[in-house]
């Protein structure tokens, strides 16, 4: 988890050397702490990566297989964090993504677009500085391959 504020207590840093105990005004929005969990950053990054044209899926084969089983279990839901790992510090974060690309796309261009989209989304929504986004391309989806994830059942 990260702490994006923490500043703003009247007895905190910046009060040294003041005479007469004068208190510095702190805006109400700056009083208190905001913490952001790793999972929040992972969700944001996962959604942003999936929005890029040429990204077929997230995660490696085994992760996608387990995810497909979990998706079929009632209440399991679709995991947007599959293939995403975040390390969140106080003001910075680093991300590792594992993606599957569609056949025929330029992998370097897709990776660059994923990096730009993820950095933009995470920094805009969290205020954290993204120091790196590492991308591992684990597979290429061929046009004649069936998806590993089973189709949704026709009858519920």
């Amino acid at each position: 988890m990260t702490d994006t504020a923490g500043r703003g207590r009247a007895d905190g840093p910046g009060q040294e050397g003041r005479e007469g105990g004068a208190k510095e005004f702190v805006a109400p929005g700056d009083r208190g702490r905001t913490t952001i969990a790793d999972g929040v950053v992972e969700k944001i990054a996962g959604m942003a990566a999936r929005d890029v044209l040429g990204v077929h899926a997230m995660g490696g084969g085994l992760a996608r297989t387990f995810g497909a089983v979990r998706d079929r279990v009632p209440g399991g839901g679709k995991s947007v964090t599959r293939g995403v790992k975040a390390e969140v510090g106080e003001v910075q974060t680093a991300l590792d993504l594992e993606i599957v690309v569609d056949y025929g796309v330029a992998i370097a261009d897709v990776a660059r677009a994923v990096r730009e989209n993820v950095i933009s989304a995470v920094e805009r929504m969290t205020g954290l500085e993204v120091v790196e986004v590492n991308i591992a391309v684990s597979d290429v989806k061929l046009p004649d391959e069936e998806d590993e994830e089973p189709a949704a059942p026709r009858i519920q």
Side-chain angles (χ1 to χ4, degrees):
M1 282 197 198
T2 183
D3 174 12
T4 60
R7 297 170 287 295
R9 293 187 0 213
D11 60 347
Q15 297 300 314
E16 299 84 13
R18 300 231 173 200
E19 292 185 28
K23 298 199 182 219
E24 181 178 322
F25 175 76
V26 179
D30 293 336
R31 297 176 193 167
R33 302 173 66 142
T34 301
T35 57
I36 300 173
D38 295 3
V40 171
V41 174
E42 290 169 355
K43 282 184 179 182
I44 294 167
M47 292 297 292
R50 283 175 176 78
D51 285 344
V52 174
L53 190 63
V55 174
H56 178 76
M58 300 289 295
L62 188 58
R64 289 194 326 267
T65 301
F66 282 131
V69 171
R70 185 179 56 244
D71 293 348
R72 292 185 69 135
V73 173
K78 196 161 184 76
S79 176
V80 295
T81 61
R82 185 183 318 148
V84 183
K85 177 67 180 138
E87 293 179 31
V88 181
E90 289 186 24
V91 295
Q92 296 178 325
T93 186
L95 294 149
D96 295 320
L97 283 75
E98 188 174 358
I99 66 173
V100 177
V101 298
D102 291 318
Y103 177 79
V105 299
I107 293 174
D109 292 343
V110 171
R112 185 176 305 107
V114 167
R115 221 174 251 112
E116 289 172 357
N117 210 34
V118 166
I119 290 170
S120 174
V122 170
E123 287 184 346
R124 178 176 47 82
M125 293 180 71
T126 67
L128 296 168
E129 177 190 8
V130 179
V131 293
E132 69 180 5
V133 177
N134 300 310
I135 299 173
V137 179
S138 61
D139 201 358
V140 174
K141 168 65 171 75
L142 300 175
D144 58 346
E145 281 182 330
E146 290 185 27
D147 282 337
E148 289 181 16
E149 298 183 17
R154 292 175 43 184
I155 300 173
Q156 295 284 330

